């Protein structure tokens, strides 16, 4: 996996790209729907990742981006990212 997703406190926005660490920092406690939307925007718009409908979040290299279990929404019957 190319990009790491890490929870952080006191961020100015929901998600922030840190190119030095190849990390996206996400605000702790963010609603999963807002988080996915923000991560998608960073990955596709800012980093040039492929936008493949139904494929989940993808890194700019094309590999899947996995959320840490603390950030993964748990819903009965939902597909994982």
């Amino acid at each position: 996996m190319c990009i790491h997703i890490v929870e952080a406190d006191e961020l100015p926005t929901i998600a922030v790209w840190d190119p030095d660490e190849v990390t996206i920092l996400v605000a702790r406690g963010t609603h999963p729907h807002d988080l996915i939307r923000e991560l998608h925007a960073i990955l596709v718009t800012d980093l040039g990742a492929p936008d493949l409908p139904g494929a989940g979040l993808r890194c700019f290299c094309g590999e899947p981006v996995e959320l840490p279990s603390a950030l993964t929404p748990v819903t009965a019957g939902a597909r994982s990212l």
Side-chain angles (χ1 to χ4, degrees):
M1 176 173 38
C2 302
I3 293 177
H4 296 76
I5 309 292
V6 179
E7 279 188 294
D9 293 318
E10 301 179 25
L11 291 179
T13 62
I14 291 173
V16 177
W17 166 242
D18 180 354
D20 295 331
E21 298 294 328
V22 191
T23 301
I24 297 175
L25 302 172
V26 299
R28 193 178 315 277
T30 300
H31 190 278
H33 296 293
D34 296 333
L35 175 60
I36 299 299
R37 187 172 34 251
E38 189 73 17
L39 289 175
H40 181 267
I42 289 172
L43 291 167
V44 172
T45 305
D46 298 339
L47 302 177
D51 186 9
L52 306 170
L57 297 172
R58 295 280 175 178
C59 177
F60 50 82
C61 70
E63 289 188 31
V65 172
E66 295 180 22
L67 298 178
S69 60
L71 298 173
T72 305
V74 178
T75 306
R79 292 185 353 199
S80 64
L81 298 174

